[in-house]
Amino acid sequence: MRIGMGYDVHRLVDGRDLIIGGVKIPYEKGLLGHSDADVALHALMDAMLGACALGDIGKLFPDNDMSFKDISSMLLLKRANEKILENGFTVTNADITIVCQKPKLSPFIQKMRENIAGVLSLPIDRISVKATTTEKLGFEGEGLGISAQAAVNVIQKI
Ligand code: MG
């Protein structure tokens, strides 16, 4: 059994869709990034790769590779999961915390869990997604960006 952690931050800007946990969330701004900038899935993938000591998403999906431009992070998650499966690992559970002042994420949490559980072929009760604010403190609190943290447990197949 192994544990991994992941952390990611993206800037909130005008003119981009806001996609978190594979859910398109109605909001006046979106996250800036080379892919769709899905901060929650990026933290999750880094936790998965970290648990298996297989590097990080920057190594797996370089941001100078145009094939990843605006790509759905749901697809990247599928590929990251294939990578860890190829190396003999399986995710057993994941816990993600999204730090976001606005918009309110609670209506979308269940759909995020379903999306992630679907890609990882896990029952939904193995996937936890939580959202918190920072009481208007820091870059998340000022609405400049959104961060996410993830912890993942994997088992190594014998
Ligand atoms: Mg990222």
Side-chain angles (χ1 to χ4, degrees), residues 7-10 32-35 37-43 46 57 73:
Y7 175 68
D8 195 29
V9 175
H10 283 271
L32 181 65
H34 185 66
S35 64
D38 190 325
V39 68
L41 297 192
H42 291 188
D46 266 353
I57 55 169
S73 295

Side-chain angles (χ1 to χ4, degrees), residues 35-99:
S35 64
D36 65 0
D38 190 325
V39 68
L41 297 192
H42 291 188
L44 172 62
M45 285 187 269
D46 266 353
M48 290 164 55
L49 293 167
C52 308
L54 289 171
D56 58 37
I57 55 169
K59 184 175 139 194
L60 205 56
F61 311 116
D63 66 6
N64 57 9
D65 184 333
M66 288 311 286
S67 68
F68 301 127
K69 178 99 179 76
D70 295 324
I71 196 171
S72 167
S73 295
M74 289 287 284
L75 192 57
L76 299 182
L77 178 61
K78 185 170 180 287
R79 292 199 202 164
N81 194 46
E82 285 164 0
K83 171 96 177 167
I84 74 162
L85 289 169
E86 281 164 19
N87 282 273
F89 296 98
T90 309
V91 174
T92 58
N93 79 294
D95 183 20
I96 302 168
T97 301
I98 305 161
V99 183

Side-chain angles (χ1 to χ4, degrees), residues 97-106 109 130-143 145-147 149:
T97 301
I98 305 161
V99 183
C100 173
Q101 191 70 40
K102 270 202 312 191
K104 198 166 171 52
L105 298 181
S106 55
I109 294 289
K130 315 188 295 296
T132 186
T133 72
T134 53
E135 302 287 341
K136 299 191 174 169
L137 294 167
F139 68 85
E140 301 102 325
E142 292 175 18
I146 297 175
S147 68
Q149 300 177 35

